[in-house]
Amino acid sequence: MLILASKSPRRNELLKLTGYSFLTVPAVKDENVPSGTAPGDAVLMLSQQKAEEISESHPNDIVIGADTVVALGNRIMGKPKDEADAFTMLKALSGKTHTVLTGVCIISPDKKINFYEQTEVEFYTLGENEIMQYIASGEPMDKAGAYGIQEKGALFVKRINGDFYNVVGLPVARLARELKSLM
């Protein structure tokens, strides 16, 4: 059986694109990354933590863990703690190019695959009122970097370089190829 170790509705929808049948069993442990960890290393560690947690209780299944962060240089932006944090993130991303990284860990009974994809996203310059209206919609509160490219956050995006679905939360093309090698 294939298991997605995530509570993200976006990852659930994206995994459906691969055509595989799967169960969703969310990881619940706290996500811990040492301060100063590089963004790529952070998503590898977090995705592995999630996959390992669920794999412990499902050792005969294939488990997928994933984690997405937005990075402005080496500054990692996860989900905002509150509206002020969301404003700070969006203001920092305004008019700049940032990187979205999604780490994926696949654990099968006899193999572990851990990789990440990264996509560059350039934002238009955002006005304070524009940011406040977006925050008032509630949309940015459960998303890394305080925006969803697949929703109203798309209005901020000038261009992307890389996998669009990676920015949404799961690099499905790469994931499908890795799963094919296991099944």
Side-chain angles (χ1 to χ4, degrees):
M1 173 59 71
L2 184 64
I3 298 174
L4 176 63
S6 176
K7 62 183 173 204
S8 166
R10 292 168 295 281
R11 284 197 186 100
N12 194 304
E13 287 300 313
L14 291 175
L15 186 55
K16 288 178 184 176
L17 295 176
T18 66
Y20 290 106
S21 296
F22 64 95
L23 292 176
T24 301
V25 181
V28 295
K29 290 182 183 171
D30 286 339
E31 300 173 357
N32 295 310
V33 175
S35 180
T37 303
D41 293 337
V43 294
L44 289 175
M45 288 169 42
L46 292 168
S47 62
Q48 185 171 321
Q49 287 173 14
K50 291 175 183 180
E52 287 175 345
E53 176 185 336
I54 301 307
S55 184
E56 286 176 11
S57 56
H58 296 84
N60 298 317
D61 296 312
I62 297 173
V63 178
I64 302 166
D67 196 82
T68 302
V69 300
V70 169
L72 187 59
N74 274 335
R75 177 181 170 203
I76 295 175
M77 297 179 181
K79 295 175 184 176
K81 295 186 259 337
D82 53 30
E83 290 183 356
D85 194 29
F87 183 88
T88 300
M89 288 183 192
L90 291 167
K91 190 72 175 159
L93 297 173
S94 175
K96 295 185 180 86
T97 299
H98 60 276
T99 306
V100 179
L101 302 97
T102 300
V104 177
C105 183
I106 307 166
I107 299 177
S108 72
D110 58 333
K111 191 173 184 181
K112 182 189 299 184
I113 299 170
N114 205 359
F115 66 90
Y116 70 87
E117 287 291 318
Q118 62 182 40
T119 304
E120 292 180 348
V121 180
E122 182 182 354
F123 267 21
Y124 285 102
T125 300
L126 308 176
E128 289 190 11
N129 193 37
E130 184 177 20
I131 293 171
M132 293 303 292
Q133 287 177 347
Y134 181 59
I135 291 169
S137 76
E139 184 178 299
M141 300 317 294
D142 71 335
K143 295 169 182 71
Y147 77 96
I149 195 169
Q150 75 281 9
E151 298 173 307
K152 293 179 185 98
L155 299 175
F156 302 157
V157 178
K158 187 172 186 177
R159 77 177 49 89
I160 70 168
N161 181 21
D163 182 345
F164 170 81
Y165 293 109
N166 183 58
V167 181
V168 179
L170 196 65
V172 291
R174 171 87 186 267
L175 175 59
R177 282 162 175 70
E178 298 293 352
L179 287 172
K180 188 176 179 182
S181 75
L182 292 175
M183 301 177 131

